[in-house]
Amino acid sequence: MSDISLVSRFDALLADLDGVVYAGPNAIPGAVESLQQLSGLGIGLGYVTNNASRSPGEVAAHLRELGAPAEDDQVVSSSQAAAELLASLLSPGSRILITGSPALAREIELVGLVPVASQAEDPVAVVQGFSPAIGWKDLAEATYVVSAGALWVATNTDMSIPQARGIAPGNGTLVAAVAAATGQQPRVAGKPEAPLFHSAAKRLGAECPLVVGDRLDTDILGGNNAGFATVAVLTGVDTRETILAARSAERPNYIIGNLTDLHRPYPEVTHDDGTYTCGQSTARVANGSVGIIGSKDHLDSWRAACAAWWAETPDAAAPQAPKLVWLDH
């Protein structure tokens, strides 16, 4: 094990928000303190969020209320990415149907496009982002416009979002409703596409950032797509089991319990003749099963199991969950 902390290997941290820094209105234990430590280490910090329901300024204000370091320009959102995408495809002054929040409409205005609220205003495109206020009438309006042949951009397609009371439907479920009704699919601006991450790294002048997220299908896939190192944190959507079963494109470089672990040395995984060792735990694949010597409760056991299973299935196009055989020390 190297004595250097995990995050000290990188020049910036690109952090997801929901499920990483906070769940609903409340900070996740240890997250704020872990983020506060970065400036003293000379490590840049950016927030990369698929939540299009609030403006970057509102997100930064919320982070500051929680005690986290956050200037407005440290927040890069999928609504900004969607606006930039539309501006690159359409002429200035084009009318865009907003299926989402006032914050999304504001980003559309900032790039020289005109937000509208109904098909009657002749929009040439639809932009769809999450808002808890969206109802059937909003989805119907989007469906009418998409069905008529308009360009359709989604800020993101997260199927769920962590809330204080549990997991709730995300923008992806609302996008799926319009897709089911129209037979169309939108262009997606935010995670897991790479530009959002490249934009955040560029703002920080970072050449070697670490992407931290709780979701394999957005944060980790997006960070991997961008060519950056990725770390999955277990305070949100994905679990030890889903990470182990991950398809190749969604496998993180590192796995941590919470953001506090960023400031600890990361245990090296070694292998010898098919046996993978992490700390006091070992794992080996035989007959499609992963045999693990170690505690189920210790993350090193899962790190070893992931290394062994992923080496066995290097080109997994879909999630594959192995049978696990636990053997105590």
Side-chain angles (χ1 to χ4, degrees), residues 113-295:
L113 301 173
V114 179
V116 300
S118 76
Q119 184 188 32
E121 296 174 87
D122 297 322
V124 296
V126 176
V127 63
Q128 186 169 359
F130 181 75
S131 169
I134 285 177
W136 180 88
K137 288 183 179 179
D138 304 294
L139 297 178
E141 207 68 35
T143 299
Y144 302 145
V145 177
V146 171
S147 295
L151 174 65
W152 180 24
V153 170
T155 58
N156 66 294
T157 51
D158 296 45
M159 297 304 287
S160 61
I161 50 174
Q163 297 288 290
R165 292 166 57 194
I167 300 297
N171 196 50
T173 62
L174 304 173
V175 169
V178 178
T182 61
Q184 305 293 315
Q185 290 293 330
R187 293 183 62 159
V188 181
K191 296 182 276 188
E193 304 308 317
L196 200 57
F197 294 92
H198 288 149
S199 177
K202 186 177 179 181
R203 283 194 199 183
L204 296 170
E207 296 181 2
C208 184
L210 176 65
V211 173
V212 58
D214 67 307
R215 299 184 65 109
L216 299 179
D217 61 349
T218 55
D219 307 318
I220 304 306
L221 177 59
N224 290 344
N225 283 339
F228 298 155
T230 54
V231 53
V233 63
L234 298 169
T235 49
V237 171
D238 274 296
T239 64
R240 294 165 172 83
E241 291 82 3
T242 60
I243 293 169
L244 175 63
R247 64 190 184 97
S248 302
E250 297 180 359
R251 293 172 178 174
N253 300 101
Y254 309 99
I255 307 165
I256 59 175
N258 55 54
L259 292 191
T260 306
D261 288 346
L262 290 172
H263 297 284
R264 299 190 174 108
Y266 193 85
E268 185 181 4
V269 179
T270 60
H271 63 95
D272 180 37
D273 195 27
T275 296
Y276 289 76
T277 302
C278 184
Q280 301 299 308
S281 303
T282 64
R284 186 178 182 89
V285 177
N287 302 320
S289 298
V290 181
I292 305 165
I293 300 176
S295 168

Side-chain angles (χ1 to χ4, degrees), residues 295-309:
S295 168
K296 273 187 189 180
D297 298 328
H298 204 294
L299 206 43
D300 283 352
S301 299
W302 293 91
R303 290 163 173 153
C306 286
W309 181 241

